[in-house]
Amino acid sequence: MDLAENRDGRDSLVRTVLAVALALVAFASLRKGKRLRGALAGVGALALGYAATGESTELAGSLDIETTHEEAELRCAVCGDPIRPGQSRGPNENNEIVHDDCR
């Protein structure tokens, strides 16, 4: 069993226990007439219960939005060389980013 799998199992268990506890607090608060506290505890119980099911973590894991260094690198539109941090640059007449020397 992998450490990450074990941690995810414990996280899910803790979220479930907290969701049940918040649901009990919500129920008790609503019986005492404290509507705001009951509503907030109920919303918290729903949020933790949803997170405990694992659907929200599966969605976050399925979104692969990593960018490589090459994709994020800014290049001069005239010469094609990379523009390093700190180099002077600006837009040319076509609104493309270029070195100040290439302008």
Side-chain angles (χ1 to χ4, degrees):
M1 178 177 275
D2 195 7
L3 181 63
E5 291 175 13
N6 191 16
R7 191 182 79 209
D8 289 340
R10 278 188 263 147
D11 287 348
S12 179
L13 178 64
V14 168
R15 286 184 182 136
T16 304
V17 169
L18 287 175
V20 169
L22 276 176
L24 292 173
V25 168
F27 181 72
S29 296
L30 289 173
R31 284 192 47 109
K32 291 180 184 177
K34 306 209 182 240
R35 288 187 231 159
L36 180 63
R37 184 183 299 166
L40 290 176
V43 168
L46 286 174
L48 281 173
Y50 180 74
T53 62
E55 294 177 15
S56 61
T57 57
E58 289 174 8
L59 178 63
S62 68
L63 297 176
D64 187 21
I65 54 172
E66 291 183 20
T67 59
T68 62
H69 179 66
E70 294 170 0
E71 293 173 355
E73 189 174 73
L74 189 60
R75 295 199 169 266
C76 178
V78 173
C79 67
D81 290 338
I83 299 175
R84 305 278 180 232
Q87 280 184 325
S88 58
R89 64 180 182 261
N92 63 4
E93 58 275 351
N94 296 331
N95 253 357
E96 298 172 325
I97 302 297
V98 295
H99 294 111
D100 279 344
D101 297 336
C102 295
R103 229 186 293 175

